[in-house]
Amino acid sequence: MTTAIAFRQVSRHYGTVRAVDAVDLEIAEGEFFAMLGPSGSGKTTCLRLIAGFERPTAGEVEIFDKPSGAVPPYRRPVNTVFQDYALFPHLNVRDNVAYGLMIAGVARAERHRAAEEALSMVALPGYAARKPAALSGGQRQRVALARALVNKPKVLLLDEPLGALDLKLREQMQVELKSLQRQLGITFVFVTHDQSEALSMADRVAVFNEGQIQQIGCPQDIYDRPNTPFVADFVGSSNVLPPEMVERLTGKRASASLRPEALRLQADGYAAQVIEKAFLGAVTRLTLDIDGQKLAMLLPKGEEVPEKAATVHIGWDEDALHLMEQRDA
Amino acid sequence: MTTAIAFRQVSRHYGTVRAVDAVDLEIAEGEFFAMLGPSGSGKTTCLRLIAGFERPTAGEVEIFDKPSGAVPPYRRPVNTVFQDYALFPHLNVRDNVAYGLMIAGVARAERHRAAEEALSMVALPGYAARKPAALSGGQRQRVALARALVNKPKVLLLDEPLGALDLKLREQMQVELKSLQRQLGITFVFVTHDQSEALSMADRVAVFNEGQIQQIGCPQDIYDRPNTPFVADFVGSSNVLPPEMVERLTGKRASASLRPEALRLQADGYAAQVIEKAFLGAVTRLTLDIDGQKLAMLLPKGEEVPEKAATVHIGWDEDALHLMEQRDA
Amino acid sequence: MHSDRASLGLKIAAAAGLLFMHLPILLIFVYAFTTEDKSYQWPPPGYTLKWFSVTWERPDVWEALSLSLRVAAISTVVALVLGTLCAAAVSRTRFFGREAISLLVILPIALPGIITGISLRSAFNLADIPFSFWTIVLGHATFCVVVVYNNAVARFRRTSGSLVEASMDLGANMFQTFRHVILPNIATALLAGGMLAFALSFDEVIVTTFTAGQQQTLPIWMLEELVRPRQRPVTNVVAMVVVLVTFLPILGAYYLTRGTEMVAGQGK
Amino acid sequence: MPEVAVSSPASRGLSDRLSDLLWSRQGLLILLLILPPALWLGIIYLGALFALLAQSFFSIDPFSGLINYEFTLRTYGELFRAANLDIIVRTVLMAGCVTIAAMIVGFPVAYYAARYARGKWKALFYLGVMLPLWSSYLVKVYSWKLILAKEGILSWLFETLHLSWLLDAYLLLPVVGGNSLSVSWTGTFLVFLYVWLPFMILPTQAALERVPPSMLEASGDLGARPGQTFRHVLLPLALPGIVAGSIFTFSLTLGDYIIPQIVGTSARMIGQAVYQFQGTAGNIPLAAAFAVVPILIMGVYLYIAKRMGAFNAL
Amino acid sequence: EMLTAIGEGEGQLNIVAWPGYIERGETAAEFDWVTGFEEKTSCKVNVKTANTSDEMVALMNEGGFDLVTASGDASLRMVAGKRVQPVNTALIPSWDTLDDRLKEAPWHYVDGTHYGVPYMWGPNVLMYNTEVFSDSAPTSWNVVFEAMNLPDGQPNKGRVQAYDGPIHIADAALYLMAHKPELGITSPYELNQEQYDAALDLLREQRKLVSRYWHDAFIQIDDFKNEGMAASGSWPFQVNLLQGDNAPIASVIPEEGATGWADTTMMHVDARNPNCAYMWMEHTLSSNLMSDLSVWFGANPAVPAACSDGRGMQTAEGCTKNGFDDFDRISFWQTPVSQCESQGECVPYYRWVSDYIGVIGGR
Ligand SMILES: Nc1ncnc2c1ncn2[C@@H]1O[C@H](COP(=O)(O)OP(=O)(O)OP(=O)(O)O)[C@@H](O)[C@H]1O
Ligand SMILES: Nc1ncnc2c1ncn2[C@@H]1O[C@H](COP(=O)(O)OP(=O)(O)OP(=O)(O)O)[C@@H](O)[C@H]1O
Ligand SMILES: [Mg+2]
Ligand SMILES: [Mg+2]
């Protein structure tokens, strides 16, 4: 397995701001890799380091095992789908898509054909003559995608490409992106702050916080076995139990994560008070108070929903309680 | 029960665009009312009609049973939390919040006190002296809320107030808004395109499409008993079965909705092929093909996840299949 | 790419451009100190400070300066009012003739000044209006409107319309909204526009020649003075003092407008 | 909770009532807003312009110099005399050259200021462009006369550098050369360029600042070398600003009569012709007819500029 | 309408004048003939200078002035255009002291009516750089009309100037009168088409020599200092100023003779300050003005006594030097008209205007 992208102790500091801090990372060729993290955690900066818009202040970014230090962006086998799309407003959709080919010197007819093809790949045939201003957000996003894809890059970088879309369109695009990636076999590096997006699409996920990677792993691992309270909390809003409480329950002194959906009503369980409930469609979310500790619980559809302020009894499977190493979040 | 807001056959057309089209609507005093719909469906226009920034081209908007035709915005007992917050950039947080009181001629000391109070209500004490530019998105949103609340309006209009926040913050604000509304007893009219937000927060929901209301009802009704395929599809991405298929299954010829979470693996069920699967954390979403019809299915955590391309057998409870009146979506 | 360094060629070209713009100004400064007063001789035969006191004591300088200041001040005020009104109307609505209005505003500066000047002069003649302070102001305000308009319209476009709505929503009527929201938000744009308008008016010769009659604004005085020199360095002293005196306001306006650009930009 | 009635009949202030009126009649509001500027520009300015143009259809009594108020096209006939056509062609050529040169000289300054200068440097560039704008036009022009004169600073400089032969060789060139720079077309051109340069830089810089950096990154990302990015992305996006600047440089050159009078070959330009016919010759009809020329030229220019979206970048 | 008695002064007086004509000691303290007048009459004098006759006519057409010092090429136009009013000579006590050669000169005396008071006259001299001509004065206008090497061995191309006004065509005609008698020119202001074309041809040749036409006296002074000019038609005024600055400059009236100007103070039909205007006209004749101005400007007074009676700085030799005795060698500026005396049909002035612009433009 070839390594497409590797970070070797890469840092990017702006003055005292450590946007990216001593990151080690390997992304395999053909992988769908997601970078997940809250706003300002350094995800975009990582992408920009790969694309070559920024240079590391320390460490080395390798692209296909070659140090990339002195390689300018226009000579990297990497294309980017920008967060704000960055479509050229003065060119129509076709010329936007064909831009990279024009730069590469491809003949007009040839590159128009390739552009049409890319456009139909993203389900936008017939939009070729429009200017970007006349497109909706979702359409622009797809043009940006086509513009990157048409160059057949070895690595495609996507910076929160679905951030501006509404849920419905987002889900649809998620499916499309995923199947496109499989079909083309291109390495995708995908930045998002939406955990469900990262989990559902990626082969592997890196969770960022404050310029550092908290955990890298497959979605299941990240979700079920978070390394740190930060990951537990950020990915899927797990309940994080404080060490004191865990000590009482298990005897071991460590933080632990407990998924809201792992909780269930259980007559012989711990007593808890319902302080809030919210109907979410497929499930109802209860906020419980158990000895002063707030816990979220998801009640599947079909179960009877307790009244507010009622006392319920809850329990969970032994192995649902996941102990974490102690680390600052 | 007093009617706070009523739309009587209200239309707002822009040239040939029917932004709002013959809408009838009643919102009770003290209600938490959500307007849900895709982009461009006329939600914002409805709010603006209530606030008085737009005038109906036909029909009448009544506010507390009085026609509002000639009443300018500044004389309506209604305040708005804008989608982009619309904080005054030249005023600090305190003066932003106290703006309405200043206009009303409240003395300086008095209005500063009220502003501080409102700020602590939205958990932002100590931010009074900052300019809006120095706040994060979530903080701005809360200032906008405080600015509206401090005037003690009878009706508070909120236009996608949580749209720009990330998931974590959004969930937190949902809970806060909801409890604030209860506490103050103000009528909330809340616009969103996020169905889970509408369902979890509102007493009643109106689903908009192309300027018209498709369905009004409590969240459970909307979710479980959608009137139209549009509602079924838009609210919670229900599977919509075409009339032919429903006829085969039940004998009746009508579209029907079938919730993804209502599907379950069942050895004697219908055979279906897995064409896509996505790990969503708490559940795994399968996309199935059953006789050429795509169905989404949510597999709860714990069940074994079938491989891609495997054949599975599925079934559902009789009453999960909800027949709908035929109407264009 | 903005973090990249500029190429050497660009740096040289930019520096050369700036230098080109400033060497002649330095020359003006140098000649304010020359001892030779009949003609300019390079290099100056000697240096003296006496022209500053000479200038100080010349009543015609003060008269011209005062006229220019008054004309520029009044023209700027008129331009501020008209330009703001126009920008407000154009940016708020799509009404019939909107295009025509924005063209009309641009016209006085897009057409050569001599045409504005001659038109106004012949119109004054036809209408039997004698030349006066006000005829100068009339001409100046006409071409100053566009500067204010451009600044204001850009700011209006950036200040989201929802601010006005928010204000009305919070109970402020139209006038209160203007006073408390619109004005503070466009103030710096108006300041910048006003400064440019003032500068434009203060240095105008071409239109003024036609609308001034017998009065001398500072530039007209300079023209007269340069062509028929009595004490040539005096004009240089005046020019230099004007540059130096305006240095701080320009810098101030720059920092003012720059700071608020960011604040105004937050309205997305 | 203060009880706010939906429509309170309570007595309100005048401003409140006026505000209500304006709110309920948005058309009235717009009318009130637009009326003063429309009156000023529409009546005073356009009125004056038309009054002038109308005079181009009169003629002048050749002996007494008084205007003969009868409709005639004779004045236009005169406009098309070869000598006058020369003036027009000469001026338009000069305006075109000055505009193009201003683009070339001004662009690097604007580009550097917009893209690279930060903090103090940015302020410096701003001052660097604004100060020349604020220093007296006339004094600047005169200082150029000193620079360009035969016994002026430039000659002195060339002489000090032992390069006089270079200057002399240049002055021997036809058209652009002459007895000295200050009586040559080169001199006129240089002074025009100098005086109008800030008017090109300011809008160009503003337009460049509006180009989002991500556009340039996107282009580089798609394989374009910096030069290609400049050609295919930056230039087209900054074009409205450049065109806006060119409106100034072109129009200002077209109408100026002071510079060619002080520095140049004595051959007339449009501004001088208008000035001379109007002022010294008192031939207002011919001056008016001459004035039509720049109006037409600028009309076409503005039309093109508008199509390129330059008005928003002024 | 003509004033019959002089009343109280109106307090001010607006005059359009040639540059250098009305001095109040600003340029040189000793040359002041305004302050005394203002003190005596309380009429404050405002001067608007005009650089060409055309400009004067235009200013007077526009109005707002009381008096103008009009040259012969402007005066008749203003009379014909009814811009100026007849003058009651009886109200000017010093009228009789006027030079007889000027009293009824055709440029202000029309159909038996006086339209002004003669002011000052002088030749358009040939000014030259004494270093270039090594102190041997040029004898002919050919140094500015024909390509040649000047005594310093350098060509005259680029080193000569010509007047930037259509009236300069007359200078060319005057030159032709001497050098191409076959054209039959009798007056340089009355040219038929053929004569006119010949003059224009000469001027087109001259265009190749002239790098810049002079238009403003002070700019010409600058040019002689900074641009290395060798010769040009000029006014004694510039000569005096340049000599005052110790520049190597001298002037001469060449063998062909010279054009010249004879100016008249004329009064606007709508003069708002007629009393002050009459007082000024008397002042021009009776005060130090004529004498000092003739020194200052290098011109000749309209009152011969001013040359010698010591009322100002002028002396008899000074007048002689200024060409007081050359009156007959000077062709005074007149406005060319189509019905001319010497021949049936002449090219009128408005053609001169546009054609001269063409010549300067290289056509
Ligand atoms: N050019 C810069 N100068 C200074 N600080 C910067 C710069 N670019 C980024 N930063 C800082 O680096 C940190 C990481 O920024 P980055 O854009 O990588 O975050 P992100 O994870 O992409 O966030 P988001 O989800 O909001 O896009 C932030 O604190 C940011 O303020
Ligand atoms: N001023 C206007 N002129 C013309 N059309 C308008 C105007 N305002 C709104 N519309 C149109 O009216 C329709 C409804 O707009 P509205 O803003 O109410 O949608 P929305 O439901 O709020 O959408 P979103 O979720 O995107 O905010 C859209 O098609 C919009 O383009
Ligand atoms: Mg980012
Ligand atoms: Mg909306």
Side-chain angles (χ1 to χ4, degrees), chain E residues 65-86:
Chain E
F65 299 98
D66 302 304
L67 295 174
V68 61
T69 60
S71 297
D73 59 335
S75 55
L76 290 185
R77 279 192 274 160
M78 289 190 278
V79 172
K82 300 194 172 33
R83 291 290 92 192
V84 291
Q85 54 174 287

Side-chain angles (χ1 to χ4, degrees), chain B residues 43-45 83 159-160 191:
Chain B
K43 311 178 296 291
T44 297
T45 309
Q83 187 161 7
D159 194 355
E160 311 211 10
V191 162

Side-chain angles (χ1 to χ4, degrees), chain E residues 127 161 214 216-224 232-234 238:
Chain E
M127 175 164 78
Q161 290 191 329
W214 75 272
D216 185 291
F218 289 92
I219 293 185
Q220 187 180 39
I221 291 172
D222 272 350
D223 286 345
F224 268 76
S232 172
S234 184
Q238 284 97 301

